[in-house]
Amino acid sequence: MFDRLSRRAPWRCVIAVVASLAVLQPAQAADEFAVTPAQMQSLGVQLQRLAPGAGTEGPTYPARVVLPPRQEQVISAPLAGVIDQLLVMENDAVRAGQPLARLASPELGELQLRLMEAASQNRLAARTLQRERQLFAEGIIAQRRVQEAEAAAAQHQARQRQGEAALRLAGLDNATIRRVANGATVDSVLILRARTSGLVSHLDVKPGQRVQPADALVRIADTSRLWLDVQVPVGWQGGAASVKGLPMTVVGREIVAAGQSLGATVSDSQTLTLRAEVKRGAQLLRPGEFVQVRLPLAAAPGWNVPLASVVRQDGKAFVFVRTPKGFIAKPVTVLASAGQTVRVAGDLQAGQEIAATAVIALKSAWQGKGGSN
């Protein structure tokens, strides 16, 4: 019996303090009521000083690390053939122009042969045109023969350019193409090279495998620039207008990102995709990785206060601001909430102190003093 009474004793003290608050003299303002420091200590009232942006840790949402399309290159087979040798492995760092694979292709030899024939005919047509012009200048032949030689030379020159373009599309460099056009030895093995620097993210083929034109062979990722696809709920407080440049951080890592766009469609899980670009710490992430991203509590101006400091009365929200005589109930508008923190807007000033605990007891005193019933 004694133990039960002793456990009830603190609550009886609180009730006694609240009762004493109810019989105090009316304050000057209708929503202001007197509370002494001793009564605050008995009730366990703790204060928090208002500061713009203070005390905020916004909500966290799941996100996936995405590689922008321009940051990935796919080396595909320009011709049909057989993979003779792979010169790199997955996760290897490569530089621009580095050999990646050897492709043995009979079509490559045919393309080189066509260029050699077109180049030879072009040289012959050019010499013929030169001779016809000289004969015409001496009055030996008619002008029609010069015109015919000019047309033939133009056709053979176009065929040579077409052959050069086909080999360039196959992956040969200009120096090699010039050697082929001048009669160099035909080679049936093509060296595939990286266009830009990056990491080998995936190998789609194995040595000895037959491939067709446009088959993917090697994928290279440049991870110096990454995106985050953040899944936010449909009722997220932000909007498309406030997304651009919205700062956010990755939980547990020194990574900072900035918002880019907000998806227009809702997924099956009833979320929207908030896309952000990683501004700092991209080297700490890998494409396809899942992380937790923390967003700001709200982009609009306001004050971040504990959830327990906000009370409701007649459908409105209030916080209790400390005054020289006690507290005054200030109406506020809740802008956003995240966990145990809410962002509010109202007639508040930096440096003011609000009640962060025991607000239920203060609400009872306020109602008894002239607040709403």
Side-chain angles (χ1 to χ4, degrees), residues 168 172-182 184:
R168 193 175 295 111
L172 268 65
D173 55 76
N174 292 330
T176 303
I177 293 175
R178 284 194 297 269
R179 289 197 298 270
V180 171
N182 292 330

Side-chain angles (χ1 to χ4, degrees), residues 91-138:
N91 301 320
D92 282 355
V94 297
R95 62 184 184 278
Q98 180 174 334
L100 303 175
R102 290 167 51 93
L103 175 67
S105 173
E107 292 184 19
L108 179 62
E110 296 177 2
L111 291 176
Q112 293 178 86
L113 180 59
R114 292 176 187 175
L115 175 59
M116 293 174 64
E117 293 175 349
S120 177
Q121 293 175 355
N122 184 34
R123 289 191 292 269
L124 177 60
R127 289 194 294 268
T128 300
L129 175 59
Q130 183 180 5
R131 185 181 66 254
E132 294 293 315
R133 285 175 175 173
Q134 182 178 359
L135 293 176
F136 173 73
E138 295 174 356

Side-chain angles (χ1 to χ4, degrees), residues 265-279:
T265 58
V266 180
S267 67
D268 295 338
S269 58
Q270 295 301 296
T271 59
L272 295 172
T273 299
L274 170 61
R275 175 156 291 173
E277 182 178 357
V278 177
K279 296 296 185 180

Side-chain angles (χ1 to χ4, degrees), residues 171-214:
L172 268 65
D173 55 76
N174 292 330
T176 303
I177 293 175
R178 284 194 297 269
R179 289 197 298 270
V180 171
N182 292 330
T185 304
V186 174
D187 192 358
S188 61
V189 176
L190 177 64
I191 305 296
L192 302 178
R193 301 177 183 273
R195 295 189 295 271
T196 60
S197 302
L199 294 175
V200 178
S201 59
H202 188 66
L203 295 175
D204 295 286
V205 292
K206 297 179 179 179
Q209 181 177 337
R210 288 189 172 275
V211 295
Q212 297 298 321

Side-chain angles (χ1 to χ4, degrees), residues 21 24 33-37 39-40 43 322 324-327 362 365:
L21 292 174
L24 293 175
F33 54 97
V35 181
T36 65
Q39 291 169 333
M40 289 178 54
L43 293 172
R322 180 65 170 159
K325 294 184 177 181
F327 289 92
L362 295 179

Side-chain angles (χ1 to χ4, degrees), residues 292-331:
Q292 290 290 322
V293 172
R294 190 180 301 282
L295 301 183
L297 193 57
W303 310 90
N304 299 295
V305 300
L307 177 63
S309 66
V310 180
V311 297
R312 301 279 180 174
Q313 183 65 28
D314 295 334
K316 298 180 181 179
F318 296 85
V319 295
F320 295 119
V321 179
R322 180 65 170 159
T323 64
K325 294 184 177 181
F327 289 92
I328 183 172
K330 290 280 190 177

